[in-house]
């Protein structure tokens, strides 16, 4: 039509051509794997297209727009591609109901697609989010459980397809230097941590009861960073709307803001679900936690007042709104900086120039740039932990296991009678109990002497559990079960004074904790408790056994032995019904089926400093210990009225001379506790004594077998040594692997013990007991056995599968507890989901193999009644086999068909029971030897640094004849300082030997830690400022590489570069002091300028005002490194320097006043920040800066020796705090149990005080950070011209050498001379060095160092 402008016609023609090309199949998108993993049989073959990167395509389009030469395109390929779609012309905006911008004067064609219902759209877009529980309730789950109604490979393909859609923020990040998601996600993380906090922060945030949207809006005005301008405008509108109508549903307001943002980011309604999903997947951990808490009210934070605690409102919709507001604000600010003109071009039009489909793979955690072959990132992971071996591992294990089962006795019928066993042991069917049962059975006098059974760990007693203290009621049942309120086991303490003494101890430890977050209290602790803090640090690091012995001695001296009883949770009829089902399942119904003594042991796992504690516990008890369930079961089975009902109504005949004993087996320490032994009748004392002796021997053998996979336990040779070792692992704060958890799980064999008796199944098979000859054709008993076995077992195997090959949550080394509900890396990262590498590094990734000993028809009847079970089996989320108990034929299930399996292979003799671990074991032992060498080297370097006072003239001038004179001349303070630093360093290295064992950067971490100690002691012994400079700079370089070690995260790269920038400024200030000090050149000395240089250098290095957020940003590395650097050496080296150089600055009144003012300002600011932060390491880091500020005040008052003493005490107790930071959740639960939720919760303070802390935190986050200009060094395509290890090392050495050249003594001397003669030139050179070297370091972390290099020497298939 003549009325249509030519620009619009051109755009329409282009769209038509593109549509025709797509419909003709000319576009073949590259298959990608994002957000999940899939087996090779599900991978799509994709052509190797040579195509423009998003950045090159963006530049080409920009070139066309402005009439310049386009970026050269790659050579043509045979595969046809879609013709380019012309960009929509920039014309005056007229928006139709779909939100599409069209030329004015043109009536747009109506779209068929309507705006989706917003609530339903958000729910659909959240389908890929994790449903992981809070850490306190962590239970293994299939990450893709919501997709179990689809076939396994198809479900993972669906995950890939959905995850391939790129969010608007990620699209923009591919073409501009700065990623808009980084700052927006950081803001959301800090808000989310405070809003969802379950008691970690010291002060309670205001306005949480009004929801997350209002919480965000009430705080947004406390900052003024430009990129959040749009967010501040939105916050004002939210406040106005919610205050004007307090009764209005916040979700309705949130939906309006979500819709506004979506209209700006995406004009096509049909893409809103994909866009929202992609935005949620930019921060899936936080989004998933909001969704989880919305659906599980018991996991939400609570507001407690006058003994009443009310859950706070948590809404995924409100999270989406806040996340969208901040992300859109970040996108707008960045787009405008890059040339977007909002008055002439819609934002979605501007963004449409970048493809919405990801090209290639999205890097997964720890995988580096090479993710085609997914490999577990742990240093102990071997080729079995590589995704490419997925199917091979399954096939190998299937073959071995089926052969082993086929060689078992026929068991084709149930004997009419049997010889009664003397002892029976019931345990959980967990594969960790397989070896325990095996060793118990091995101690039998004859084949009929001892029997063992495996049952679900809650013993069919789904109960509520109320302990004898103030801990809230807990559910001890499979997740999803909600026992009635009356089904509560209430424990009563019978020991007088026990609870009162526990309460007193809790009050003392809680008071200590709170005082440590006050600058005055922490200063008092530093001085008064120095001997205790130093002793604890050394013992915990070097001799954990001595620490445990002292703790036990103290506990036994203070606390009496606990003696409890309980009120039963069920009546007689309920007990009888539940016991009948339990006994029928395992086949014990006749009198001869019961032994004289029956022991029932629930299981759990007690350890310290372990945020994954619930994951080690009983999954059937909702991540709690199963001991109480076993105790209830035994008490009920011993009850005469219950036995009478069992006999009369359920056909279960328990002999009068049978006695049940409940107990607990700790799978970490192999401790066995037996309950209610005072109730055992005298007639059974000999039986009990024998049972206890058998348990004692079995747990020793079990511990010895477990130690074969603990590679720091190579000294263990006997059961006694093994028990000592595993007991110590459970109590050692430096042990990230108290046990291996469910690693190596591979099979679930449902049937009689005779099928597997005598077989060495290598702790890989769960063994639920089931007697097929006591069941009906409907599978009534089978259903109660198979349901928990299939739901729990498949969840365990699938979570281990995906976490093993995808990295899971990564290593625990840098983890940070957030709000007592989750974990993150750094102080503002996304929440971590999945399992840590310490749990998965020895696991063979494969789906669980199920073998059910029952007729096929019966199995089908059970599956047919339970859709969830049927989906798991039919859709191949497990490998499912059925063994006919009469014919012994094994069948493989295949989409409802049951195909016979040929189980015999006569060519292999003898038939193996398990897949050997030999090759992986040898690899791990090799890694251990390499780590030992680095440990010795680090300790050697630390020892040398401690001896520096012996070489005042340098080691080259050492004269042993002069040694006595040298010893007499040593400054005692100097000797104490260097020795103390060496001991702190040695403590860190010793702690790290266990905590960092298996880290792929183990050697780097240990050597940089030793280098930090060397730098500290060089400063401590330096006779002149020129010699101070070397150690001062060395500390900065070691700190930088420790902070940026886990450089796969953007914030780790940025914070390492920021710390380096601050250290460079500190070096420049120190150089100024050198240049104008009298010791350099008296003729040009300027003592006041030199004093100023010293003060500035010290304040910058020690995270003082105005850079009080330096330590907070430094918490990116491994916990031992963070403790040594930012709680001890780097934090306090300025105190040592200022104490040494007091004659240079103390005489100036202004210098003393300035130092005191900076210290006071930091103490106030950092204390406020520490008390509002809801992450453990971040709050400790801020408190550390505050206490150093208080020590500066002591220095300013002239007490240099007192300041040094306080610095040592502060270093010791802060290192202890950071070492124990993973235990924050356990500590909080312990205080809550002894003192109650209200007494241990955050303190209520004035809103003004809390908001002041938040405002100071915002200043650090928004303004004291790496300037945006440094992001320009990031390449849009990764470097690929070098190999994984060698060239990266060479390039890194070249960069570090270039950066370090400026700090050579000769260069420093020349710059110092220029400062005196040509200050402008010197300033220019210093500025150029600071900016240039920081850019090089940022480039190094962002482009050169790739995690993939740490896997280069893994054996290939």
């Amino acid at each position: 039509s003549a009325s249509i402008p030519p620009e619009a016609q051109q755009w329409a023609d282009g769209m038509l051509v593109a549509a025709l090309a797509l419909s003709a199949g000319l576009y073949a998108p590259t298959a990608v794997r994002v957000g999940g993993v899939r087996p090779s049989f599900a991978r799509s073959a994709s052509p190797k297209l040579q195509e423009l990167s998003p950045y090159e395509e963006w530049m080409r389009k920009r070139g066309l727009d402005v009439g310049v030469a386009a970026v050269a395109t790659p050579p043509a390929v045979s595969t046809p591609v879609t013709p380019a779609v012309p960009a929509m012309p920039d014309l005056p905006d007229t928006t139709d109901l779909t939100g599409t911008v069209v030329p004015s004067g043109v009536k747009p064609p109506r779209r068929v697609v309507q705006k989706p219902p917003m609530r339903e759209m958000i729910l659909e877009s959240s389908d890929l989010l994790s449903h992981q529980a809070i850490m306190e309730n962590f239970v293994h789950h299939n990450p893709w459980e919501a997709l179990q109604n689809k076939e396994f490979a198809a479900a993972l393909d669906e995950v890939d397809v959905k995850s391939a859609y790129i969010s608007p923020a990620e699209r923009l990040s591919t073409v501009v230097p700065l990623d808009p998601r980084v700052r927006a996600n950081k803001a959301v993380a800090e808000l989310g941590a405070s809003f969802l906090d379950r008691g970690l922060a010291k002060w309670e945030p205001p306005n949480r009861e009004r929801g997350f949207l209002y919480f965000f809006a009430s705080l947004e005005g406390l900052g003024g960073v430009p990129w959040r301008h749009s967010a501040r405008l939105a916050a004002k509108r939210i406040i106005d709307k919610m205050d004007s109508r307090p009764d209005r549903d916040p979700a309705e307001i949130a939906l309006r803001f979500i819709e506004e943002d979506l209209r700006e980011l995406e004009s096509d309604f049909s893409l809103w679900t994909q866009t929202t999903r992609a935005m949620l997947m930019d921060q899936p951990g936080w989004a998933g936690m909001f969704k989880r808490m919305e659906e599980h009210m018991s996991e939400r934070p609570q507001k407690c007042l006058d003994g009443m605690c009310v859950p706070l409102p948590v809404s995924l919709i409100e999270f989406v709104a806040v996340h969208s507001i901040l992300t859109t604000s970040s996108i707008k600010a960045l787009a405008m900086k890059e040339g977007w003109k909002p008055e002439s071009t819609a934002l979605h039009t501007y963004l449409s120039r970048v493809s919405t489909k990801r090209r290639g793979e999205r890097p997964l955690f720890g995988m580096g740039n090479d993710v085609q072959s997914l490999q577990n990132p742990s240093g102990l992971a071997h080729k079995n932990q590589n995704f490419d071996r997925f199917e091979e591992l399954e096939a190998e294990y299937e073959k071995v296991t089926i052969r082993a089962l086929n060689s078992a006795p026929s068991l084709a019928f149930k004997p009419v009678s049997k010889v009664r066993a003397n002892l029976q042991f019931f345990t959980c069917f967990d594969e960790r109990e397989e070896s325990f049962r095996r060793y118990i059975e091995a101690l039998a006098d004859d084949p009929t002497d001892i029997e063992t059974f495996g049952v679900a760990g809650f013993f069919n007693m789904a109960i509520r559990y109320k302990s004898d203290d103030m801990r809230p009621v807990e559910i001890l049942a499979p997740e999803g079960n909600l026992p009635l309120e009356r089904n509560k086991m209430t424990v009563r303490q019978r020991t007088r004074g026990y609870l009162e003494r526990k309460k007193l101890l809790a009050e003392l430890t809680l008071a200590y904790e709170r005082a440590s977050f006050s600058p005055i209290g922490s200063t008092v602790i530093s001085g008064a408790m120095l001997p205790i803090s130093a002793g604890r640090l050394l013992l915990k690091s070097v001799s954990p056994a001595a620490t445990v012995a002292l703790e036990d001695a103290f506990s036994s001296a203070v606390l009496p032995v606990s003696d409890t009883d309980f009120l039963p949770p069920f009546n007689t009829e309920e007990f009888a019904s539940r016991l009948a089902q339990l006994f029928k399942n395992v086949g014990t119904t006749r009198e001869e089926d019961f032994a004289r003594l029956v022991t029932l042991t629930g299981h759990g796992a007690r350890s310290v400093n372990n945020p994954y504690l619930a994951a080690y516990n009983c999954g059937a008890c909702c991540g709690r210990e199963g001991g109480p369930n076993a105790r209830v079961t035994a008490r009920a089975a011993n009850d005469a009225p219950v036995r009478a009902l069992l006999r009369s109504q359920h056909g279960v005949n328990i002999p009068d001379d049978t006695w049940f004993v409940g107990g607990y087996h700790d799978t970490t320490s192999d401790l066995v506790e037996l309950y209610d032994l005072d109730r055992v009748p005298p007639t059974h004392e000999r039986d009990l004594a024998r049972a206890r002796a058998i348990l004692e021997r079995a747990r020793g053998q079990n511990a010895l077998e477990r130690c074969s996979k603990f590679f720091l336990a190579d000294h263990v040779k006997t059961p006694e040594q093994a028990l000592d070792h595993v007991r110590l692992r459970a109590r050692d704060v430096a042990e990230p692997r108290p046990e291996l958890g469910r690693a190596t799980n591979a099979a679930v064999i449902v049937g009689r013990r005779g099928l597997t008796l005598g077989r060495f199944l290598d702790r890989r098979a769960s063994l639920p007991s089931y007697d097929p000859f006591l069941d009906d054709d409907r599978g009534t008993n089978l259903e109660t056995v198979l349901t928990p076995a299939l739901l729990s077992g498949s969840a365990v195997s699938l979570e281990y599968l995906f976490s093993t090959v995808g990295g899971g949550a990564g290593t625990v080394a840098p983890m940070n507890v957030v709000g007592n509900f989750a974990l993150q890396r750094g102080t503002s990262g996304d929440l971590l989901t999945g399992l840590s590498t310490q749990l998965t590094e020895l696991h063979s990734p494969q789906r669980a193999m199920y073998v059910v000993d029952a007729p096929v028809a019966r199995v089908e009847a059970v599956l047919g009644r339970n859709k969830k079970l049927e989906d798991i089996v039919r859709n191949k989320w497990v490998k499912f086999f059925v063994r006919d108990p009469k014919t012994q034929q094994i069948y493989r299930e295949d989409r409802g068909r049951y195909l016979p399996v040929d189980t015999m292979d006569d060519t292999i003799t003898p038939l193996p029971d398990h897949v050997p671990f030999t090759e992986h074991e040898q690899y791990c032992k090799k890694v251990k030897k390499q780590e030992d060498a680095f440990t010795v080297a680090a300790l050697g370097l630390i020892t040398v640094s401690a001896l520096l006072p012996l070489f005042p003239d340098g080691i080259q001038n050492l004269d042993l004849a002069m040694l006595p004179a040298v010893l007499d001349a040593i400054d005692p303070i100097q000797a104490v300082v260097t020795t103390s630093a060496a001991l702190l360093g040695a403590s860190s290295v010793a702690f790290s030997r266990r905590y960092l064992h298996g880290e792929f950067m183990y050697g780097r971490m240990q050597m940089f830690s030793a280098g930090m100690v060397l730098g500290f002691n060089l400063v401590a012994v330096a006779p002149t400022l020129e010699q101070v400079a070397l150690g001062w700079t060395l500390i900065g370089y070691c700190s930088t590489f420790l902070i940026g070690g886990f450089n796969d995260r953007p914030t780790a790269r940025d914070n390492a570069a920021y710390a380096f920038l601050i250290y460079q400024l500190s070096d420049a200030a120190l150089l100024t002091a050198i240049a104008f000090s009298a010791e350099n050149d008296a003729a040009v000395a300027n003592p006041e300028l030199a004093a100023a240089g010293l003060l500035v250098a010290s304040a910058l290095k020690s995270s003082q005002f105005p850079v009080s957020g330096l330590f907070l940003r430094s918490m990116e590395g491994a916990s031992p490194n963070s403790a040594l650097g930012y709680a001890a050496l780097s934090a306090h080296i300025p105190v040592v320097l200022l104490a040494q150089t007091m004659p240079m600055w103390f005489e100036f009144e202004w210098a003393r006043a300035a130092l005191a003012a900076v210290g006071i300002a930091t103490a106030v600011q950092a204390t406020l920040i520490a008390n509002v932060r809801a992450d453990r390491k971040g709050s400790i880091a801020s408190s550390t800066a505050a206490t150093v500020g208080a020590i500066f005040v002591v220095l300013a008052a002239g007490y240099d020796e007192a300041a040094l003493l306080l610095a040592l005490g502060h270093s010791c107790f802060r290192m202890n705090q950071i070492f124990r930071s993973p235990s924050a959740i356990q500590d909080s639960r312990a205080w809550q149990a002894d003192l109650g939720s209200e007494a241990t919760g955050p303190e209520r303070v004035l809103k003004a005080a809390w908001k002041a802390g938040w405002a100071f935190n915002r200043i650090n986050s928004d303004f004291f950070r790496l300037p945006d200009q440094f992001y320009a060094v990031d390449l849009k395509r990764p470097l690929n011209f070098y190999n994984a290890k060698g060239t990266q090392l060479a390039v890194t050495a070249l960069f570090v050498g270039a950066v370090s050249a400026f700090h050579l003594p000769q260069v420093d001397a020349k710059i110092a001379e220029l400062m005196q003669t040509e200050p402008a030139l010197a300033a220019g050179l210093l500025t150029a060095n600071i900016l240039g070297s920081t850019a090089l370091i940022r480039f190094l972390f962002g482009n050169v160092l790739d995690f993939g290099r740490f896997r280069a020497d893994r054996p290939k298939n």
Side-chain angles (χ1 to χ4, degrees), residues 241-296:
K241 290 178 180 294
M242 297 188 74
D243 282 347
S244 63
R245 289 183 54 188
D247 59 333
R248 189 174 181 183
D249 182 5
E252 292 296 334
I253 299 174
L255 290 171
R256 297 291 294 272
F257 280 89
I258 295 170
E259 182 176 340
E260 285 183 16
D261 289 338
L262 284 174
R263 286 181 180 274
E264 289 198 81
L265 298 172
E266 177 53 67
S267 61
D268 188 345
F269 288 153
S270 67
L271 297 178
W272 277 17
T273 299
Q274 296 181 61
T275 301
T276 305
R277 179 188 292 116
M279 293 175 70
L280 291 177
M281 294 305 291
D282 282 340
Q283 206 165 17
W286 281 105
M289 184 54 67
F290 270 82
K291 183 179 182 182
R292 169 80 188 192
M293 286 190 176
E294 181 178 14
E295 296 171 349
H296 296 77

Side-chain angles (χ1 to χ4, degrees), residues 573-888:
E573 290 76 13
E574 290 171 324
F575 269 134
S577 175
R578 290 175 176 275
L579 285 173
Q581 188 64 66
L582 178 72
F583 293 137
K584 287 179 179 179
N585 289 347
V586 303
T588 53
T589 58
R590 303 168 299 184
E591 290 195 357
E592 61 265 33
D593 292 334
F594 291 93
R596 275 180 51 84
L597 188 78
V598 181
T599 302
L600 311 145
T601 53
H603 76 97
R606 298 168 189 168
S607 59
V608 296
N609 218 31
N610 179 17
Y612 282 96
L613 179 65
Y616 292 86
N617 273 327
C618 181
C621 299
C622 210
R624 305 292 195 274
E625 294 179 4
N629 301 73
R631 187 180 187 184
V632 165
T633 304
R635 182 78 63 89
N638 289 328
D639 185 71
V642 171
R643 289 189 179 189
L645 279 179
L646 283 171
R647 185 183 298 272
S648 63
Q649 296 185 11
H650 300 283
V652 176
N653 302 294
I654 301 177
D656 293 338
D657 65 346
T658 292
W659 191 262
F660 292 82
V661 176
Y664 165 77
H665 176 219
D666 193 289
T667 57
T668 300
S669 66
D670 266 311
L671 164 75
V672 174
E673 295 176 340
L674 298 180
Y675 304 129
D676 301 326
L677 296 184
D678 57 329
R679 292 172 171 262
V680 178
T683 55
H684 287 69
E685 287 182 355
R686 292 184 61 183
D687 301 281
L688 176 63
R690 182 173 179 236
R692 296 178 74 174
I694 288 173
L695 289 171
E696 183 66 22
R697 292 180 61 186
R699 73 189 190 95
Q701 293 292 339
N702 194 54
L704 186 60
E705 179 177 323
R706 291 172 54 213
C707 284
S708 66
K709 290 183 180 176
F710 297 147
F711 299 103
L712 296 184
D714 49 0
H715 63 284
V716 172
K717 305 298 181 185
T718 66
E720 293 74 22
Q721 291 175 333
L723 282 173
D724 288 341
H725 181 77
V726 297
R727 187 185 305 118
L728 187 60
R729 293 181 80 92
R731 302 279 295 278
D732 185 4
V733 296
E735 183 52 72
R737 302 172 186 81
E739 62 164 293
L740 299 181
R742 306 293 298 272
T744 72
N745 74 85
V748 180
I749 302 173
V750 181
R752 292 156 292 173
R753 180 57 169 149
L755 295 175
T756 54
L757 187 65
R759 297 293 180 186
F760 180 82
L761 300 180
D762 200 22
R763 294 169 58 88
R764 301 194 65 186
S766 295
L767 302 174
S769 296
Y770 167 71
D771 191 332
F773 294 101
L774 283 182
D775 204 359
D776 54 36
D777 291 339
R778 298 185 71 255
T780 302
N781 296 343
L782 178 62
E783 185 171 11
T784 62
V785 176
L786 187 59
T787 299
L790 195 49
L791 294 179
S792 173
S794 66
V796 170
S797 75
L798 291 167
E799 181 162 47
Y800 267 89
L801 164 63
F802 295 125
S803 291
T804 298
V805 299
T811 172
V812 301
M815 284 183 183
N816 184 16
V817 176
V818 185
N820 283 341
F821 61 85
L823 304 171
Q824 65 182 185
R825 294 170 64 207
T827 55
S828 58
D830 194 16
L831 299 185
L832 301 175
T833 58
L835 302 174
S836 70
T837 55
Q838 283 77 7
L839 281 165
T840 62
E841 62 202 357
L842 301 184
H843 179 69
S844 294
Q846 57 193 83
R847 290 167 290 180
M849 173 189 178
Y850 277 76
V851 180
V852 181
D853 186 32
V856 168
R858 186 183 302 170
V859 173
E860 277 295 295
V862 171
L863 296 180
R865 292 196 300 272
N866 192 318
K867 183 66 165 60
K868 184 174 286 189
L869 301 186
E870 186 178 42
D871 284 345
I872 293 173
V873 173
R874 293 282 190 268
N875 294 326
K876 298 188 178 300
W877 291 90
V878 298
K879 308 301 288 293
F880 199 76
F881 297 82
V882 173
R883 178 187 183 274
D884 190 291
K886 291 184 178 180
T887 67
Q888 292 85 55

